[in-house]
């Protein structure tokens, strides 16, 4: 079966609006040539392009599961952009990020999700927990939920910390079946149920077919696949192998999540 191609749109930055200093990688609010505002994640930030790879892959996996994620676009940054920026730190970041970056559509007026204020249905909570177990996303805690409420709907953002094992060296793919004990800190775990987690596992495995995975992975730009001595094709194959292997142990990490849920009681 041919992959389902899901290539994001490409826009060009026309105006740097303001830095968003609450992010560790110093993302920024920018305007693009389509007239929309975006939250731009820079390729030249501290952890490099692998953060952009994780952001792209997990965001599109979430969308394939039916979860709400702001539109992801490739954002081109011209080398001349930012030469007049007075802040040296920002100027260095802009200079290091010439070329293709990643951006999320800015949800104007959105508020940060607060679990003490907003109730999430168990089925939705379980699907988000399941996605984060699949992708080893350590960054959806009460301290930093990485979820927004926009028009009374829950939206997922900021997945750069997921797939963290791809930072660990050339053999990272071999860690695919590892446990995910960090699920115990997931902000939505307390509102899931055993039945909802089992249903999320069944739905997730049904939706994330090899063809869907391949279509999402195919969208990673060659210039973001920078492992030495590995072609972009080989690196994409590594992501495919990793995610398919994670799916083969989904019952295990789903059970791990349920055990962690029970431990909270």
């Amino acid at each position: 079966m041919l992959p389902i191609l899901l290539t994001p749109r490409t826009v060009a930055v026309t105006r740097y609006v303001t830095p968003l200093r609450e992010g560790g990688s110093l993302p920024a609010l920018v305007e693009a040539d389509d007239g929309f505002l975006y939250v731009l994640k820079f390729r030249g930030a501290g952890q490099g392009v692998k953060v952009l790879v994780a952001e792209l892959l997990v965001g599109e996996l979430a969308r394939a599961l039916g979860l709400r994620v702001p539109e992801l676009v490739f954002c081109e940054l011209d080398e001349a952009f930012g030469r007049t920026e007075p802040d040296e730190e920002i100027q260095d970041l802009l200079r290091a990020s010439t070329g293709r970056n990643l951006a999320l559509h800015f949800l104007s007026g959105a508020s940060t999700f607060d679990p003490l204020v907003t109730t999430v249905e168990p089925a939705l909570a379980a699907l988000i927990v399941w996605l984060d177990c699949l992708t080893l996303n350590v960054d959806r805690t009460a301290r930093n939920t990485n979820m927004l409420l926009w028009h009374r709907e829950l939206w997922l953002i900021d997945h750069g910390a997921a797939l963290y094992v791809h930072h660990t060296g050339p053999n990272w793919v071999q860690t695919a079946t590892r446990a995910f004990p960090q699920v115990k800190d997931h902000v939505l775990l307390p509102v899931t149920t055993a039945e909802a987690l089992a249903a999320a596992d069944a739905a997730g495995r049904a939706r994330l077919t090899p063809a869907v995975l391949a279509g999402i992975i195919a969208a990673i730009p060659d210039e973001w696949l920078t492992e030495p001595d590995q072609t972009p094709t080989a690196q994409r194959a590594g992501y495919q192998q990793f995610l398919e292997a994670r799916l083969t142990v989904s019952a295990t990490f789903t059970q791990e999540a349920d055990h962690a849920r029970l431990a909270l009681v």
Side-chain angles (χ1 to χ4, degrees):
M1 182 182 294
L2 293 175
I4 301 168
L5 299 179
L6 299 168
T7 304
R9 294 187 301 119
T10 297
V11 299
V13 178
T14 57
R15 184 168 67 98
Y16 184 100
V17 178
T18 186
L20 301 174
R21 294 186 180 274
E22 66 271 17
S25 58
L26 203 66
L29 185 65
V30 302
E31 187 175 4
D33 58 357
D34 61 357
F36 291 109
L37 293 174
Y38 295 92
V39 175
L40 179 61
K41 306 295 183 76
F42 292 100
R43 61 183 296 163
Q47 291 183 304
V49 289
K50 286 188 177 180
V51 171
L52 303 189
V53 172
E55 191 84 59
L56 173 63
L57 292 184
V58 182
E60 295 303 342
L61 287 169
R63 205 184 312 280
L65 290 172
L67 298 168
R68 294 182 179 88
V69 182
E71 182 190 9
L72 292 163
V73 299
F74 294 134
C75 213
E76 294 289 340
L77 190 63
D78 188 88
E79 62 180 350
F81 196 84
R83 287 178 180 170
T84 59
E85 170 59 48
D87 186 308
E88 290 187 8
E89 181 183 13
I90 294 174
Q91 191 175 95
D92 289 344
L93 180 60
L94 293 172
R95 188 180 300 114
S97 301
T98 297
R100 183 163 295 191
N101 299 272
L102 190 70
L104 293 82
H105 194 96
F106 178 62
L107 303 182
S108 179
S111 60
T112 300
F113 168 74
D114 184 343
L116 300 178
V117 175
T118 302
T119 300
V120 178
E121 292 297 319
L124 175 57
L127 192 57
I128 295 170
V129 169
W130 186 89
L131 167 70
D132 290 335
C133 289
L134 172 70
T135 60
L136 304 174
N137 183 17
V138 297
D139 205 9
R140 191 104 61 201
T141 66
R143 183 169 174 265
N144 191 23
T145 67
N146 283 327
M147 292 183 286
L148 299 175
L149 280 178
W150 193 57
H151 297 297
R152 299 183 180 180
E153 295 175 330
L154 192 65
W155 293 74
L156 309 184
I157 61 169
D158 291 350
H159 297 108
L163 299 172
Y164 63 87
V165 291
H166 67 174
H167 294 281
T168 60
N171 297 321
W172 71 272
V173 174
Q174 298 174 16
T175 68
T177 58
R178 72 191 300 158
F180 186 57
Q182 296 95 328
V183 69
K184 65 180 175 57
D185 299 318
H186 199 290
V187 66
L188 294 180
L189 187 62
V191 297
T192 62
T193 65
E195 294 76 16
L197 286 166
D201 183 36
R205 285 186 286 107
R207 293 175 186 175
L208 298 183
T209 65
V212 169
L213 296 179
I216 293 170
I217 293 165
I220 306 172
D222 282 2
E223 65 224 66
W224 293 0
L225 296 166
T226 57
E227 284 292 332
D229 304 320
Q230 290 188 35
T231 66
T233 298
Q235 291 174 70
R236 289 191 187 91
Y239 284 102
Q240 181 87 19
Q241 180 185 340
F242 179 86
L243 289 169
E244 287 190 18
R246 287 295 290 167
L247 285 166
T248 67
V249 297
S250 68
T252 300
F253 66 65
T254 301
Q255 186 177 57
E256 182 180 35
D258 193 43
H259 289 164
R261 178 188 65 84
L262 291 171
L264 297 175
V265 178

